[in-house]
């Protein structure tokens, strides 16, 4: 397997793009080596510019939930594109998208489209501050809500991968309004709230975390946060950019049975096109301009090509919710296979999984928050990543990322992944 073309492209890319990539996690910086440049993808397979084929466990970090180049989505985009790609004026497509989402998820009366998960989370925080008149937010160490200043305090994903303690450019003033504590530590939240009475606008959380690897909420944790928010007049924001339309048709709200006050979406909602959204109960969302004075805007928000792509995919998930069940069953099959192979290898490990989100941590203790994820043997993960990659299995290039399964994966792909795991562990241990 040669990756010579990727090597040449990466050298060239670095002459005109910071770090040669348009998003840091793609740079293989933590796992080392040269990022692969992808030429095309179909179903569950990625093809790099040297025509090597990989089984894809990133799925574009979540969006490609039914596989790459999914025919109904491609067809819808092709048909819409001939009518131009953007108008900067309202369309019926945006209404259909909003109505479809409202029919699929709980607690959303009004929803605003944006162009990324970052924009969705940034806007939701502004709504919470505008609605409550309070300044501070609580986020959890290792959770990632995009790259808006308020969130780059002890964030997950690439910020954790690159061990960036404080992000230059985020001012002390902004950081002072972001309070943080460990995921699953309800007592720490209660302490922060008691120390900042009437000052906290929102608690924002990944209801199932995916940016420290996959980390599940402890029993009662999300429910406990809901109770605190009810008692203290704090808005509870579910960042469902990853979990939305993946854990269930109604996302984590449905799966966990806990209501959020505001919810953000991204990834799957756009079927690979740039789409994010934030929404919630009418009395909260009414503060959003032009109804209210919480200003939020975007040239390409609700873009017709992005809308028809997302609408087509969401419609299929809405009409065939068993598809999510199928992906979950494939994830459980993979989990059980990995469990057997890792147990036989003798190396300490933890597998965290819920729905079609899964991650392996080479750890001799449970991984329940950022500190325990960071304390795992992540150097070994980096070796595992490369051993799998050269065997044609493309995992997220960081121990601080969830794997994402897609429904184009076949039994053969899963068994090939397990065989590659067995061989990789034999090589690196
Ligand atoms: P985007 O702005 O990247 O569309 O969404 C930000 C975001 C918000 N909330 C959650 C829970 C997220 O996982 C993300 C983005 N996820 C990362 C992967 N862990 C995106 C990959 C990247 O940064 O390139």
């Amino acid at each position: 397997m040669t990756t010579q073309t990727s090597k040449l492209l990466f050298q060239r890319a670095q002459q005109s793009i910071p770090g040669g990539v348009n998003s840091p996690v793609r740079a293989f910086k933590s796992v080392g080596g040269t990022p692969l440049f992808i030429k095309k993808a179909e179903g569950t397979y990625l093809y790099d510019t040297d025509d090597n084929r990989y089984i894809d466990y990133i799925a574009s970090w979540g969006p490609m939930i039914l596989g790459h180049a999914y025919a109904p989505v491609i067809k819808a985009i092709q048909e819409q594109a001939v009518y131009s790609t953007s108008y900067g004026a309202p369309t019926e497509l945006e209404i259909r998208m909003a109505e479809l989402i409202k029919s699929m998820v709980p607690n959303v009366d009004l929803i605003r489209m944006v162009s990324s998960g970052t924009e969705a989370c940034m806007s939701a925080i502004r709504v919470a501050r505008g609605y409550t008149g309070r300044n501070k937010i609580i986020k959890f160490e290792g959770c990632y809500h995009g790259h808006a200043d308020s969130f780059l305090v002890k964030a997950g994903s690439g910020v954790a991968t690159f061990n960036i303690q404080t992000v230059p450019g985020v001012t002390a003033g902004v950081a002072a309004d972001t309070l943080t504590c460990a995921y699953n530590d309800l007592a720490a939240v209660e302490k922060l709230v008691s120390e900042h009475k009437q000052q906290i606008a929102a608690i924002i959380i990944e209801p199932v975390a995916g940016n420290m690897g996959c980390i599940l909420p402890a029993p009662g944790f999300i429910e406990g946060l809901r109770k605190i928010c009810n008692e203290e007049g704090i808005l509870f924001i579910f960042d469902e950019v990853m979990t939305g339309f993946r854990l269930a048709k109604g996302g984590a709200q449905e799966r966990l049975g806990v209501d959020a006050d505001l919810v953000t979406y991204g990834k799957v909602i756009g079927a690979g096109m740039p789409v994010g959204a934030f929404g919630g109960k009418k009395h909260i969302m009414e503060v959003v301009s032009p109804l209210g004075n919480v200003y939020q805007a975007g040239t390409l928000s609700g873009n017709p090509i992005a809308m028809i792509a997302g609408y087509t995919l969401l419609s299929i998930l809405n009409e065939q919710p068993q598809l999510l069940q199928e992906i979950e069953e494939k994830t459980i099959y993979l989990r059980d296979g990995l469990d057997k192979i890792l147990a036989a290898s003798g190396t300490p490990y933890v597998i965290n999984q819920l729905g079609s989100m899964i991650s392996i941590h080479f750890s001799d203790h449970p991984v329940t928050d950022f500190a325990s994820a960071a304390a795992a043997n992540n150097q070994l993960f980096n070796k595992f990543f490369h051993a799998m990659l050269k065997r044609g299995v493309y995992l997220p290039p960081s121990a601080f990322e969830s794997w994402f399964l897609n429904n184009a994966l076949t039994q053969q792909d899963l068994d090939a992944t397990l065989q590659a795991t067995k061989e990789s562990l034999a090589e690196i241990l």
Side-chain angles (χ1 to χ4, degrees):
M1 172 191 274
T2 171
T3 56
Q4 188 54 28
T5 312
S6 285
K7 287 184 175 67
L8 292 172
L9 286 171
F10 190 45
Q11 284 167 4
R12 188 175 134 209
Q14 293 175 79
Q15 307 313 307
S16 46
I17 305 170
V21 292
N22 281 312
S23 200
V25 288
R26 303 175 191 170
F28 280 21
K29 195 173 173 193
S30 69
V31 293
T34 301
L36 298 176
F37 281 67
I38 301 304
K39 178 163 72 176
K40 65 176 184 175
E42 192 175 12
T44 196
Y45 304 120
L46 293 170
Y47 298 85
D48 71 14
T49 47
D50 290 289
D51 292 321
N52 300 305
R53 191 191 82 168
Y54 304 86
I55 302 172
D56 180 14
Y57 284 98
I58 299 186
S60 178
W61 303 94
M64 314 318 284
I65 194 164
L66 297 183
H68 288 284
Y70 190 66
V73 170
I74 300 301
K75 181 169 178 291
I77 291 171
Q78 288 170 330
E79 288 173 353
Q80 184 66 39
V82 299
Y83 299 117
S84 186
T85 50
S86 181
Y87 314 119
T91 63
E92 193 219 344
L93 263 177
E94 292 159 90
I95 306 171
R96 285 165 49 198
M97 179 72 155
E99 289 170 344
L100 174 62
I101 293 170
K102 281 174 62 175
S103 74
M104 294 174 76
V105 305
N107 296 309
V108 170
D109 298 327
L110 295 175
I111 187 163
R112 168 65 59 86
M113 294 292 138
V114 294
S115 298
S116 71
T118 293
E119 262 196 285
C121 294
M122 177 178 81
S123 305
I125 289 296
R126 188 179 306 142
V127 167
R129 286 171 164 151
Y131 178 79
T132 61
R134 302 175 180 179
N135 295 340
K136 295 191 185 301
I137 64 169
I138 291 178
K139 75 173 287 292
F140 295 88
E141 192 173 3
C143 281
Y144 180 73
H145 306 293
H147 64 89
D149 284 2
S150 293
F151 300 133
L152 291 178
V153 179
K154 295 185 180 179
S157 187
V159 181
T161 299
F162 305 142
N163 191 24
I164 301 172
Q165 295 305 315
T166 50
V167 174
V170 176
T171 66
V174 167
D177 279 338
T178 300
L179 308 172
T180 62
C181 51
Y183 200 83
N184 282 322
D185 188 343
L186 197 57
V189 177
E190 286 162 349
K191 184 168 183 296
L192 276 179
V193 169
S194 66
E195 292 166 350
H196 299 86
K197 281 287 189 191
Q198 304 297 323
Q199 296 177 52
I200 299 168
I203 293 175
I204 184 167
I205 193 164
E206 292 180 54
V208 173
N211 287 289
M212 308 179 239
C214 177
I215 290 188
L216 279 55
F221 177 57
I222 302 291
E223 295 81 355
L225 293 174
R226 177 69 272 173
K227 183 169 178 290
I228 290 169
C229 288
N230 292 345
E231 290 165 353
E232 302 288 337
I234 295 171
L235 293 192
F236 198 11
I237 302 177
F238 271 20
D239 173 355
E240 293 223 45
V241 168
M242 267 197 196
T243 56
F245 311 105
R246 177 172 283 280
L247 288 188
K249 193 164 88 166
Q253 287 191 99
E254 176 187 323
R255 185 83 185 231
L256 304 178
V258 177
D259 290 350
D261 295 308
L262 288 170
V263 59
T264 62
Y265 298 111
K267 297 181 191 281
V268 170
I269 191 177
M273 296 298 287
V275 181
F278 63 98
K281 287 293 187 201
K282 192 167 183 291
H283 70 277
I284 299 172
M285 289 295 288
E286 282 180 331
V287 304
V288 179
S289 178
L291 272 180
N293 291 333
V294 176
Y295 197 72
Q296 182 281 331
T299 301
L300 297 177
S301 298
N303 171 275
I305 308 299
M307 288 297 99
I308 198 65
Y311 181 83
T312 302
L313 182 60
L314 293 188
S315 297
I316 290 165
L317 293 176
N318 187 39
E319 288 148 20
Q320 304 173 56
Q322 75 280 5
L323 293 172
L324 294 179
Q325 186 54 38
E326 283 174 29
I327 306 171
E328 179 158 351
E329 284 159 10
K330 293 175 182 178
T331 310
I332 290 167
Y333 177 85
L334 182 69
R335 180 203 65 196
D336 293 347
L338 290 170
D339 196 27
K340 284 194 188 73
I341 294 163
L342 283 158
S345 76
T347 190
Y349 72 97
V350 166
I351 300 175
N352 287 345
Q353 174 265 329
L354 184 69
S356 57
M357 296 171 68
I358 185 171
S359 58
I360 293 178
H361 302 265
F362 291 108
S363 169
D364 58 4
H365 53 265
V367 175
T368 58
D369 58 14
F370 177 68
S372 48
N377 184 347
N378 295 323
Q379 288 309 314
L380 183 58
F381 176 86
N382 295 344
K383 289 180 185 165
F384 180 64
F385 169 82
H386 281 290
M388 293 289 274
L389 191 64
K390 75 181 181 187
R391 290 174 173 83
V393 178
Y394 197 127
L395 302 177
S398 164
F400 297 104
E401 297 287 356
S402 175
W403 304 8
F404 294 101
L405 274 74
N406 73 77
N407 206 37
L409 281 161
T410 64
Q411 183 77 42
Q412 191 182 0
D413 298 318
L414 296 170
D415 290 336
T417 304
L418 295 173
Q419 181 56 31
T421 303
K422 204 176 292 180
E423 293 171 11
S424 296
L425 292 174
E427 176 192 324
I428 65 176
L429 292 177

